[in-house]
Each structure stands twice: as C-alpha cells, then as structure tokens.
Amino acid sequence: MAETELELPQLYLVTPPDFELSRFLDQLARVLDAHATACLRLTLATADEDRITRAADACREVAHARDVPIVIADHVLMVERLGLDGVHLGDGARRVRKTRDELGADAIVGAFCGASRHDGMSAGEMGADYVSFGPAGTTPLGDGSRADRDLFGWWSEMIEVPVVAEGALDEDTIRALTPVTDFFAIGEEIWRTDDPSATLGRLLDAMRG
C-alpha cells in the first residue's frame, strides 16, 4: 500500500510593518499570483489611522480579488469598518473571548502566544481560529525565548486548533517544522529581499525536503 503523502502546511502571508503603498501593492499582487496563500495579515507599525485605512483598503482589494482573506493585527475596531475578514491578536489569549463576542462567529480571530503552551490552550478554548507560536527560528531580537519543534509537535498531536509557525523562518526551520505545523506565517523574511516572490518560492520549496 502506498504511503500517504504528507499534507503540506499552507502559506500565511504577512505584510511588512512599513511600506510605500503603490510599490508594495505590485509586489503583493505578484506574490499572491505566484503562490497559493491561505490568508494575508496586515501588520503596520504606524498608529496613523489614515495610513492604516488606506493600506487596508488597498491590500483588501488585492487580496479579495484573489479570494484571499485579510486580517489586521490588533485593530479590532477597524475590522468591520474596513471590510476585513478578521483580526490577529498579538497579546495571546487576553482579548480572544471579548473579540469573538464583538466580531461574531464568522470573523477570523487568531492569537499570537509566543512560546507559551498554556496561553495557546487558553486562546483555543476561548474561541481562537488559530494559535500562532514564535519566533520559530533563531533571532537576536526579543527576550531570547523560542517556540521550538517540541512545542509544535505536542500541539499538532494533542490540540485540534490549527497552529501557525512564525518568526525568523529560514529553510532549515521550515524543513524541520513542516510535519508539525498547519501554517507558516512569512513576511519580513521575503520583503527585505530584491525578489520577494522568488525568495518565498525557495522557502516554500524547503517544505518538500
């Protein structure tokens, strides 16, 4: 009997924290056209409401034209107003239940839980559609904590809520986590390169060994 082929994780694309809109939209369209994408996350460093609104409107048009849902990082109040599909909460389980109540059952609500198994379980119990752990790769940024393969392995075996690996992803990390994650959230790893679509292609190829 033939061995069942491993179902590969899906791509969860993350915008850079700052970008020049017209140039980025061209890049975004090329990446989405070249690579099957499960979701797009708008993650902006600015607190300027007008800039966030313009970026969200433009990115939503590009994503929705390709049947890709778009979520925004943290700004719960902007989801319905801007016609977005949901929100990615960066502070673990803290706001999941309240956000689910505010946005309703159909909205995407995700939670970044660092490397905390407990926080991830709490977020899932409160109604998160997915839990994200990271950084999955090695980085000098942050407090030095890392979401290691054991965490993803335990989660994928014990918990039904989909899990996302993100942060400092490289080919080796992707290769190691492919059997134990549902999504790879990839953003800064590609946007800072000369050809984001080609860079993403190389990272995704790592899932195949």
Side-chain angles (χ1 to χ4, degrees):
M1 191 165 133
E3 185 178 334
T4 304
E5 186 176 343
L6 178 71
E7 187 174 333
L8 295 176
Q10 298 180 73
L11 169 63
Y12 179 169
L13 193 64
V14 183
T15 71
D18 186 43
F19 51 80
E20 194 276 304
L21 194 54
S22 60
R23 179 171 174 270
F24 176 68
L25 290 177
D26 288 340
Q27 288 184 323
L28 177 61
R30 282 200 296 272
V31 169
L32 292 179
D33 286 339
H35 305 283
T37 303
C39 190
L40 173 67
R41 183 199 306 165
L42 180 64
T43 303
L44 293 176
T46 182
D48 184 319
E49 185 179 341
D50 182 60
R51 284 187 66 193
I52 295 171
T53 298
R54 283 188 288 112
D57 281 341
C59 290
R60 184 196 66 239
E61 286 193 20
V62 173
H64 281 181
R66 292 156 177 82
D67 294 321
V68 175
I70 177 172
V71 301
I72 190 168
D74 292 316
H75 301 302
V76 178
L77 296 179
M78 289 188 164
V79 172
E80 292 182 343
R81 196 174 82 203
L82 298 177
L84 307 179
D85 299 287
V87 66
H88 173 85
L89 302 173
D91 54 358
R94 196 166 301 137
R95 293 184 289 154
V96 172
R97 180 172 287 131
K98 182 173 185 287
T99 300
R100 173 60 71 202
D101 289 343
E102 288 176 4
L103 297 182
D106 293 337
I108 299 169
V109 177
F112 175 74
C113 296
S116 172
R117 179 188 298 188
H118 173 74
D119 221 16
M121 291 172 65
S122 298
E125 289 166 2
M126 291 177 186
D129 291 296
Y130 68 82
V131 164
S132 172
F133 291 123
T138 303
T139 172
L141 303 177
D143 62 3
S145 62
R146 179 179 176 184
D148 60 20
R149 192 187 189 283
D150 288 345
L151 172 60
F152 288 97
W154 176 86
W155 186 276
S156 63
E157 187 175 325
M158 303 298 293
I159 310 292
E160 289 188 8
V161 177
V163 64
V164 180
E166 68 175 277
L169 294 171
D170 57 21
E171 290 171 60
D172 288 340
T173 305
I174 287 175
R175 202 172 287 118
L177 294 181
T178 288
V180 290
T181 193
D182 299 296
F183 300 90
F184 284 111
I186 297 175
E188 291 272 52
E189 295 92 343
I190 67 167
W191 300 121
R192 58 175 177 250
T193 68
D194 292 335
D195 189 340
S197 184
T199 304
L200 179 56
R202 287 193 293 275
L203 288 174
L204 296 178
D205 282 346
M207 291 193 294
R208 295 172 179 84

